[in-house]
Amino acid sequence: MGFETSNGTASTKPLKFLIYGRTGWIGGLLGKLCQSQGIDFTYGSGRLENRPSLEADVAAVNPTHVFNAAGVTGRPNVDWCESHKVETIRTNVVGTLTLADVCREKGLVLINYATGCIFEYDSSHPLGSGIGFKEEDTPNFIGSFYSKTKAMVEDLLRNYENVCTLRVRMPISCDLANPRNFITKITRYEKVVNIPNSMTILDELLPISIEMAKRNLTGIYNFTNPGVVSHNEILEMYRDYIDPKFTWKNFTLEEQAKVIVAPRSNNELDTVKLKQEFPELLPIKESLIKYVFKPNQKTTAA
C-alpha cells in the first residue's frame, strides 16, 4: 500500500489533487484554495457510485491525494433525505465507500468531508459542560436519515487505513450571501432555537484540510473550531458588525419540531486531537470575528 507517509511526513512528489464535489460549496472553495496556493488539481467527473468512472478519473489524473466533498445534504435542507432515502444511500453510503475503496486500491489518501451531526448532548456530555464528544465515541444521534447514513459510513470507513474523515458541523464562511452558510440560514429564519454548538469556520479550517493532506494524516478528526457558540451569540455579532437594526425571535426545540420533518443534532465536539496537530487553531468566537465578521463589518461601533 502507499501509506508509508501516514506518520505525518510529507511526500516529495509534486501535489496533484483529485476533488469530488465541483458543484458543492466545499468543493468549490477547495478549488479556489488550490488555485491561490498554486496546487495542481482536477475535479472528478465520475459518479461516486460508479466504480469504473472513478477508476478512469484516477487513471487520467494520477493524483497524489483525493478529496471527497460530494454528498447529498438535501435541498433546501436534510428533510429532503427523509423522502429520498435511496438517493441518499446511493451517494452518501455506496458512493463514499466506493471512492474510499478505489483510493485504497491505488494507494491514495482520501480526505473525506463528513459530518459531526451524528451526536447529541446526553448525560455524559451535558449541554454547557464543556465535555465534547471525542473521535472514538460511538454516534448517538440517528434522528434524521441523513445523520443515520453518515454514522454508518463513518463506522465502515474506520476500517480503511487510507481515509481521513473530517467531521464538519454547521459550516460558516465569510460569504454571507451563500444560502448554505449557517449564518445566512439563521438570519433568514422566522425563528431560531438558541443552543450552543460546535461549528466549522471554513475560511480557517479548509486550508488546514489541505495541510492534513500534505501530512498524509488519516483517521477521524473532529473538524470544528474549539468551544461552542449559540445561535443568539452569532446573531448578536451579526447585529453588532453587520446590521444594527437586525432582530430575531427564538423558539424552543418543541416548537421547532413542529416545522421540521427530522430532528436536528446539537452537540459539542472535542477538538484536542485537531489542536495537537494545529495548535494555532482559533476558538470558535475568535474565528468568527477574524474570518467572518471583521471582513464583512459595516458598522463602526463594534
Side-chain angles (χ1 to χ4, degrees), residues 23-274:
T23 58
W25 182 24
I26 287 177
L29 290 173
L30 264 179
K32 290 192 177 108
L33 271 173
C34 289
Q35 281 170 335
S36 68
Q37 293 188 22
I39 296 170
D40 193 6
F41 75 98
T42 302
Y43 282 113
S45 53
R47 301 290 305 170
L48 290 193
E49 63 276 15
N50 181 333
R51 188 182 186 100
S53 72
L54 301 183
E55 290 170 339
D57 281 345
V58 171
V61 175
N62 190 23
T64 56
H65 301 80
V66 180
F67 288 74
N68 179 29
V72 173
T73 53
R75 297 285 172 96
N77 56 45
V78 295
D79 285 344
W80 181 91
C81 301
E82 301 296 317
S83 53
H84 297 78
K85 290 184 175 174
V86 170
E87 295 93 324
T88 304
I89 292 169
R90 194 177 291 141
T91 304
N92 290 357
V93 183
V94 179
T96 304
L97 292 173
T98 304
L99 182 59
D101 201 61
V102 168
C103 289
R104 183 178 185 273
E105 210 171 61
K106 304 292 181 194
L108 294 167
V109 168
L110 171 65
I111 305 287
N112 183 49
Y113 297 96
T115 183
C117 293
I118 51 177
F119 297 100
E120 61 183 341
Y121 291 117
D122 62 11
S123 55
S124 312
H125 308 81
L127 193 154
S129 66
I131 302 167
F133 289 92
K134 293 184 161 61
E135 279 77 5
E136 56 277 10
D137 287 338
T138 305
N140 68 346
F141 176 77
I142 49 166
S144 71
F145 189 73
Y146 167 80
S147 291
K148 201 186 275 189
T149 62
K150 291 292 200 173
M152 286 175 195
V153 172
E154 184 185 279
D155 189 43
L156 291 167
L157 287 178
R158 286 176 190 271
N159 303 293
Y160 281 81
E161 73 280 16
N162 61 312
V163 176
C164 182
T165 292
L166 303 180
R167 290 175 176 163
V168 174
R169 284 210 76 229
M170 299 180 167
I172 290 168
S173 83
C174 64
D175 176 9
L176 294 179
N178 190 314
R180 309 306 299 263
N181 189 336
F182 181 74
I183 299 178
T184 313
K185 284 183 180 179
I186 63 172
T187 56
R188 293 176 180 177
Y189 287 163
E190 201 179 325
K191 291 180 177 175
V192 294
V193 292
N194 182 38
I195 302 175
N197 270 289
S198 285
M199 302 187 192
T200 303
I201 307 297
L202 295 174
D203 308 73
E204 181 172 17
L205 281 152
L206 280 188
I208 283 177
S209 65
I210 289 178
E211 189 55 40
M212 293 172 92
K214 291 178 185 173
R215 296 181 195 180
N216 288 310
L217 298 177
T218 54
I220 296 172
Y221 284 85
N222 287 336
F223 204 57
T224 58
N225 290 82
V228 291
V229 64
S230 71
H231 297 59
N232 282 9
E233 287 173 313
I234 289 178
L235 293 173
E236 282 162 11
M237 289 183 197
Y238 184 86
R239 182 190 62 205
D240 293 346
Y241 283 89
I242 312 291
D243 179 5
K245 295 189 177 70
F246 183 77
T247 59
W248 66 95
K249 291 189 185 108
N250 288 127
F251 62 167
T252 64
L253 278 174
E254 293 74 28
E255 290 168 316
Q256 182 195 43
K258 292 175 184 155
V259 296
I260 54 176
V261 178
R264 303 294 193 257
S265 148
N266 293 289
N267 68 54
E268 176 169 358
L269 298 181
D270 181 290
T271 51
V272 169
K273 184 178 176 185
L274 189 63

